[in-house]
Amino acid sequence: MNMKKGISILVLSIFVLGLSACSGGDSPATIDPSNLEVTLTTKPTPPTAGAETEFLATFSGSKMPDSASLTFEIRSADTSKQFYAKRTEGSAFTGSFQFEAPGTYEVFLHLYDDVNHITKMKKVEVQ
């Protein structure tokens, strides 16, 4: 009877270990919003109305997971336009946009990973 009980405990232990191995694994990498900083540069500097402007958003302060993506949102007093950014390398993203008129615009950077949606805002003065 003790042998049967010992075998049952051994089989149960192996089963529990197998289940824990299946449910384990690394959780998806996520961005730490508390340390995240962004630098936004434009080409040309400053942007000119009617000409194509290239944006470069470079993030620092947190590891950038492979799943990260970025959307630029350009806001003026009466409009909002969004476009997807292309990831260039590491924590850098680019995109281009043509401003219709001179003025001050708010550029919202919508950064996504598997869990977060983080928004940063920068102002751009267009001539």
Side-chain angles (χ1 to χ4, degrees):
M1 185 79 166
N2 282 340
M3 182 97 146
K4 243 184 181 181
K5 188 175 183 181
I7 292 174
S8 296
I9 291 174
L10 178 64
V11 170
L12 182 60
S13 297
I14 292 171
F15 178 73
V16 169
L17 284 173
L19 284 178
S20 65
C22 291
S23 65
D26 297 329
S27 60
T30 60
I31 300 164
D32 180 1
S34 64
N35 296 322
L36 191 66
E37 296 293 327
V38 64
T39 302
L40 180 66
T41 57
T42 62
K43 199 183 279 185
T45 301
T48 305
E52 196 75 15
T53 300
E54 184 178 326
F55 293 96
L56 174 63
T58 306
F59 291 88
S60 61
S62 181
K63 183 174 175 5
M64 191 67 54
D66 292 340
S67 64
S69 64
L70 180 75
T71 302
F72 289 101
E73 179 183 5
I74 311 295
R75 290 186 193 174
S76 64
D78 56 347
T79 64
S80 173
K81 296 182 181 177
Q82 291 189 11
F83 57 96
Y84 291 105
K86 179 182 176 191
R87 190 167 186 175
T88 57
E89 59 182 67
S91 298
F93 297 84
T94 63
S96 59
F97 183 78
Q98 186 172 339
F99 292 97
E100 295 176 8
T104 302
Y105 293 82
E106 294 177 335
V107 179
F108 285 84
L109 305 141
H110 298 276
L111 183 64
Y112 302 91
D113 67 11
D114 292 326
V115 177
N116 298 305
H117 170 198
I118 302 162
T119 304
K120 300 285 185 174
M121 191 271 291
K122 298 290 183 178
K123 290 193 178 202
V124 174
E125 190 69 36
V126 178
Q127 295 183 346

